Amino acid sequence: MSGSGRSKSSSGGNDNNDTNNSISLRTALFALIFAFVLMAFTMPSFIQRLFRPMSTAMGVTGGGGGSPRPAIPEGAEKATVGAGCFWGVEHLYRKHFGDKGLYDARVGYTGGDATNPNYKQVCSGKTGHNEALLIYYDPSRITYRQLLEFFYRMHDPTTINRQGPDTGTNYRSGIYFHNEEQEKVAKEVTQQANEQWYKGKIVTEVVPAGPWWDAEDYHQLYLSKNPWGYECPSHFLRPFEPLEQK
């Protein structure tokens, strides 16, 4: 009897252990599934950014953008800026100026040495190019000063070769002026933003505009085509008071 009792007790203990192990395994599995679902909803930008360089490696890019441009009316002016990943820069400018006199905005590369660079080459840092935005606008509805004040509100101009988690010379802050008047305004706005908004920390380069190369087609209007695509977390409008002009 006693031997039978010991055997029964031992068997019951094993059954309990098996049940506990099974419950623990199911709990761990459910926790893992929940973590992946949560990541899918809360980190789409990270995932997009993680796989962004693979598009060039897989042959998606070409030797510059070839998509047709909308007709630019006579009398339009242009402005060129660099403020980190050009997907978000284009998206914000289109969002805020699209119905206020912005004719077109193209993402591309400027400030480097190579001819007709592609995205992979620019990301290597070897060509010296910056990811930039070329804006065509109606000067009777938008002023160059407005575009630059917006520029200093929508990104962080205090980090050298960096915007948010994106690092490299192709993410530097820059204003590329097209004439003497733009140079004058760019330097004035930069000085005022530096004194009134950023307390002397601005590192933005203000230099003449050089050769421009359109980025590959899949970069154009990227966030309009891919709403869940990556947008640099430093791209948002700072709630600054208007600049005081002296």
Side-chain angles (χ1 to χ4, degrees), residues 19-85:
T19 300
N20 291 337
N21 289 339
S22 178
I23 294 174
S24 297
L25 182 60
R26 284 199 299 270
T27 302
L29 182 59
F30 284 134
L32 185 61
I33 293 173
F34 178 76
F36 275 112
V37 171
L38 185 64
M39 181 181 295
F41 281 98
T42 62
M43 299 182 66
S45 296
F46 167 76
I47 295 170
Q48 287 284 340
R49 190 64 178 179
L50 182 64
F51 288 101
R52 182 183 176 192
M54 292 181 63
S55 57
T56 46
M58 296 171 67
V60 174
T61 63
S67 59
R69 297 182 181 213
I72 305 299
E74 185 177 352
E77 294 187 3
K78 58 185 178 180
T80 305
V81 296
C85 177

Side-chain angles (χ1 to χ4, degrees), residues 6 20 31 35 37 40 57 61 65 68-69 86 88 102 107 120 126 132 148 150 159 166 170 179 182 188 196 225 238:
R6 285 195 302 269
N20 291 337
V37 171
T61 63
R69 297 182 181 213
F86 47 25
L102 185 146
V107 297
K120 186 175 182 180
K126 296 179 181 179
L148 295 191
F150 183 83
T159 52
D166 306 325
N170 54 310
N179 53 49
Q182 284 195 354
E188 287 179 355
Q196 300 175 39
K225 302 172 185 174
R238 280 76 178 163

Side-chain angles (χ1 to χ4, degrees), residues 41-157:
F41 281 98
T42 62
M43 299 182 66
S45 296
F46 167 76
I47 295 170
Q48 287 284 340
R49 190 64 178 179
L50 182 64
F51 288 101
R52 182 183 176 192
M54 292 181 63
S55 57
T56 46
M58 296 171 67
V60 174
T61 63
S67 59
R69 297 182 181 213
I72 305 299
E74 185 177 352
E77 294 187 3
K78 58 185 178 180
T80 305
V81 296
C85 177
F86 47 25
W87 293 347
V89 182
E90 177 197 34
H91 182 68
L92 283 178
Y93 268 95
R94 285 187 179 277
K95 179 179 179 180
H96 289 272
F97 294 102
D99 60 350
K100 299 180 178 68
L102 185 146
Y103 291 131
D104 192 21
R106 304 282 297 184
V107 297
Y109 314 116
T110 194
D113 301 320
T115 299
N116 199 20
N118 61 40
Y119 173 71
K120 186 175 182 180
Q121 292 170 333
V122 171
C123 283
S124 73
K126 296 179 181 179
T127 70
H129 287 88
N130 195 10
E131 291 191 19
L133 185 70
L134 177 59
I135 303 165
Y136 290 90
Y137 66 98
D138 180 351
S140 70
R141 300 182 62 193
I142 310 172
T143 67
Y144 187 62
R145 169 176 283 274
Q146 286 177 307
L147 293 173
L148 295 191
E149 289 187 7
F150 183 83
F151 167 80
Y152 277 120
R153 290 179 61 206
M154 59 75 57
H155 84 298
D156 181 0

Side-chain angles (χ1 to χ4, degrees), residues 189-212:
V189 173
T190 298
Q191 180 180 353
Q192 292 164 4
N194 198 31
E195 294 173 353
Q196 300 175 39
W197 289 348
Y198 291 101
K199 311 306 179 185
K201 297 179 180 180
I202 286 180
V203 295
T204 303
E205 63 179 7
V206 180
V207 297
W212 172 269

